[in-house]
Amino acid sequence: MTLRARLTLWYTAVLAGVLLLFGAALYLLLTRSLTAQIENTLAQTADDILSASRRDIRGITLPPLDLTANVYVQVWGADRILRVESANLMSMPDPLDPQALDVTVPTHTTVNIGGAHLLILTVPVVAPPSSEILGRLQLASSLETVDRAREALLLFLGGGGVLAVALAALVGLTTARGALRPLDQITQAALQITRADDLSLRIPVGYGPPTDEVGRLTQAFNETLERLESLFETQRRFVADVSHELRTPLTAIRGNVDLIRRMGTPDPESLEAITSEVDRMTRMVQDLLLLAQAESGRLPMAHDLVELDTLLLQVYKQAKVLAQDRLDIRLGREDQARVRGDPDRLKQMLLNLVSNAIEYTPADGTITLSLSCVGDRARLTVSDTGPGIAQEALPHIFERFYRVDRSRKRTLQGGAGLGLSIAHWIARSHDGQIEVASEVGKGTTFSVWLPLADMTAPAVEPQAPVRVERPSSG
Ligand code: ADP
């Protein structure tokens, strides 16, 4: 069953139920109140008659009955012989209600006599002061007005109720159809997007007010599509970049292998080139794995107290070995600072920045490492006097596989454009951030901001494996 039909059915059923309850209550109330009126009249008349009568042990003596045509009266003796009756009964020989002639308390009954529906009140007549029952007074009044009123009400409630329910069903169906039409349109649009396999399509807004449920659904759906499109695009670019980056070393390896085959003997130069390309590919795959694990949140991250000054000193020593007297490596300001995090990852981040500086700064340049505390944050900087980075490239350097000059000849240690992405991720996962300031021809400064740790906990010395190798590309 469709949602539209279900909604209409529920709506109509609830309305019908309410109408039924309301109608039944009204019907009972009207019947009760009209019958009570007639009962009152009968009781009043009985009182009038009894107070005008004389009663003793010899029997009942009644004055001539002067009654309205609406009330019929009979007086029966205890011997079941009719004593008196009102003229409007036209000498009716039988009791109005023979069943009730034995009652000992005033009793109401209803009877049908000759097609007339009557309400009977039977009152026992006693002779004061004794409580001996001398006979019974039976009064009757027609229930025709009550019956007619009840019939009219039934007709009105029945007819009106059916009409109201039918109208409600119609209106409900029309409203539900109108309200749910945008959903059909959204379904059509979604199917079209699937059929055309085109995630750039969007569901047109305007099927209803943008703030109602359907408007919000459309907006949410479009946002999901947008996110999916960007994810697919990222994935597509990623696959293209990885293939591109792998193709170059593979081509180089292939060329060298061909050379060795042609020459018949493996010459040391070709073997060196092959080793270097294999190393490059290994580093790239390691970096990619690291980034993939980081992005999926599966990379374990320690939460130790790390002394940044000690860490910086270790990186400084490593940088000196890497630069091999080609560059001047300096240690600038070095405050004492402790942060909470993973010492290995923090070191990897600094080494990525330092090895970039070493790689891009020409001989006789200077690289300065420093650490300062600013407010509740530590600031680590790596400055170089290298070529700098063009302003338009700055927003992209932290993207995966981004290299300012793609055609630049790679150095032996050159990376695939992943080093800064990894550094950026490490800074972010320590609740920090990484900034770059650069001027073409003058140099570049990378600054990493990290929140200082609570000084009460004991510190953990960063391990110092002085590995003289580039930890990752970049
Ligand atoms: P790569 O493996 O190419 O070094 P990175 O992600 O580490 O990749 O860096 C991205 C790009 O940013 C580099 O290709 C380079 O063009 C630029 N870059 C990074 N550090 C420096 C620097 N200190 N001086 C000049 N350019 C830099």
Side-chain angles (χ1 to χ4, degrees):
M1 195 188 286
T2 61
L3 178 62
R4 188 179 308 150
R6 273 210 310 272
L7 278 177
T8 310
L9 208 69
W10 267 107
Y11 173 72
T12 314
V14 169
L15 184 80
V18 170
L19 279 181
L20 203 71
L21 273 179
F22 174 77
L26 193 68
Y27 181 82
L28 285 177
L29 212 72
L30 182 94
T31 310
R32 196 62 241 124
S33 111
L34 288 179
T35 314
Q37 265 180 30
I38 297 175
E39 283 173 359
N40 274 348
T41 311
L42 291 180
Q44 190 65 49
T45 313
D47 275 355
D48 290 350
I49 293 171
L50 287 177
S51 55
S53 67
R54 269 197 297 117
R55 285 156 279 157
D56 53 34
I57 39 165
R58 278 166 291 147
I60 316 161
T61 319
L62 280 176
L65 293 172
D66 178 20
L67 296 166
T68 57
N70 285 344
V71 180
Y72 308 94
V73 181
Q74 285 180 334
V75 180
W76 292 86
D79 50 5
R80 285 188 168 249
I81 290 173
L82 181 64
R83 298 284 197 281
V84 185
E85 71 174 354
S86 56
N88 53 10
L89 276 174
M90 290 179 285
S91 306
M92 179 172 150
D94 300 318
L96 285 163
D97 184 2
Q99 311 280 327
L101 267 191
D102 299 324
V103 296
T104 52
V105 287
T107 306
H108 285 107
T109 47
T110 52
V111 292
N112 275 307
I113 300 172
H117 190 200
L118 299 172
L119 178 69
I120 313 286
L121 171 63
T122 309
V123 185
V125 183
V126 289
S130 77
S131 56
E132 189 197 339
I133 295 176
L134 303 175
R136 270 118 191 139
L137 182 62
Q138 261 193 346
L139 301 98
S141 180
S142 169
L143 281 172
E144 197 189 336
T145 45
V146 180
D147 290 342
R148 244 189 283 136
R150 282 202 299 203
E151 268 167 34
L153 186 68
L154 260 185
L155 205 72
F156 172 75
L157 285 178
V162 168
L163 212 72
V165 169
L167 200 72
L170 200 75
V171 171
L173 204 65
T174 320
T175 316
R177 184 176 298 152
L180 296 176
R181 185 175 303 126
L183 286 186
D184 282 343
Q185 285 159 333
I186 289 173
T187 311
Q188 289 309 320
L191 284 175
Q192 197 189 335
I193 288 168
T194 314
R195 273 196 297 267
D197 207 9
D198 184 359
L199 280 173
S200 68
L201 289 173
R202 294 285 177 276
I203 294 170
V205 279
Y207 288 136
T211 48
D212 72 2
E213 287 83 346
V214 175
R216 288 206 302 273
L217 173 72
T218 311
Q219 211 176 326
F221 195 75
N222 279 343
E223 277 166 19
T224 309
L225 282 176
E226 212 156 289
R227 176 104 182 90
L228 277 178
E229 190 189 7
S230 107
L231 281 177
F232 273 113
E233 177 53 28
T234 311
Q235 200 186 20
R236 196 196 55 73
R237 233 186 22 233
F238 177 73
V239 172
D241 285 342
V242 172
S243 332
H244 177 82
E245 293 299 329
L246 284 176
R247 208 171 47 213
T248 322
L250 283 174
T251 314
I253 291 170
R254 178 76 210 238
N256 281 298
V257 169
D258 284 350
L259 192 68
I260 290 170
R261 193 177 289 141
R262 272 204 307 275
M263 286 171 59
T265 55
D267 71 309
E269 224 171 278
S270 301
L271 286 177
E272 180 60 32
I274 290 172
T275 313
S276 149
E277 293 302 338
V278 169
D279 283 350
R280 184 197 301 281
M281 282 201 297
T282 310
R283 276 199 307 277
M284 193 179 106
V285 171
Q286 275 171 351
D287 285 353
L288 278 175
L289 205 65
L290 182 92
L291 274 176
Q293 280 180 320
E295 277 166 13
S296 65
R298 278 187 285 126
L299 199 66
M301 182 72 77
H303 285 278
D304 302 332
L305 269 178
V306 184
E307 290 193 343
L308 281 185
D309 36 317
T310 315
L311 192 104
L312 192 72
L313 210 62
Q314 289 171 5
V315 174
Y316 165 73
K317 286 180 190 160
Q318 222 164 320
K320 273 186 112 49
V321 180
L322 279 172
Q324 292 171 342
D325 295 332
R326 197 176 61 86
L327 300 161
D328 182 10
I329 312 286
R330 293 183 190 169
L331 200 57
R333 177 175 168 175
E334 203 195 6
D335 290 351
Q336 282 197 328
R338 294 207 290 184
V339 296
R340 193 163 278 286
D342 191 316
D344 292 341
R345 296 282 169 234
L346 287 170
K347 193 170 184 179
Q348 181 179 12
M349 172 187 74
L350 273 180
L351 277 171
N352 281 2
L353 298 178
V354 168
S355 46
N356 269 350
I358 293 174
E359 186 181 344
Y360 298 116
T361 308
D364 298 330
T366 308
I367 294 168
T368 314
L369 311 182
S370 70
L371 165 65
S372 52
C373 292
V374 185
D376 57 354
R377 292 193 298 169
R379 181 192 186 202
L380 285 157
T381 57
V382 178
S383 309
D384 64 55
T385 55
I389 303 166
Q391 208 62 29
E392 59 275 14
L394 282 180
H396 304 291
I397 56 170
F398 296 106
E399 291 170 10
R400 273 192 303 206
F401 294 114
Y402 183 82
R403 286 200 306 266
V404 176
D405 183 4
R406 281 192 164 251
S407 60
R408 177 173 52 80
K409 189 179 174 298
R410 291 161 193 252
T411 62
L412 204 63
Q413 299 290 338
L418 294 170
L420 285 181
S421 306
I422 292 172
H424 183 249
W425 172 77
I426 293 174
R428 257 205 355 240
S429 60
H430 282 80
D431 294 327
Q433 65 198 74
I434 193 164
E435 287 170 357
V436 56
S438 188
E439 210 176 317
V440 175
K442 290 209 167 155
T444 308
T445 299
F446 282 94
S447 307
V448 180
W449 293 88
L450 296 171
L452 284 169
D454 170 18
M455 301 302 265
T456 49
V460 171
E461 278 276 309
Q463 289 163 8
V466 184
R467 267 204 335 260
V468 188
E469 62 169 11
R470 195 182 152 110
S472 97
S473 65

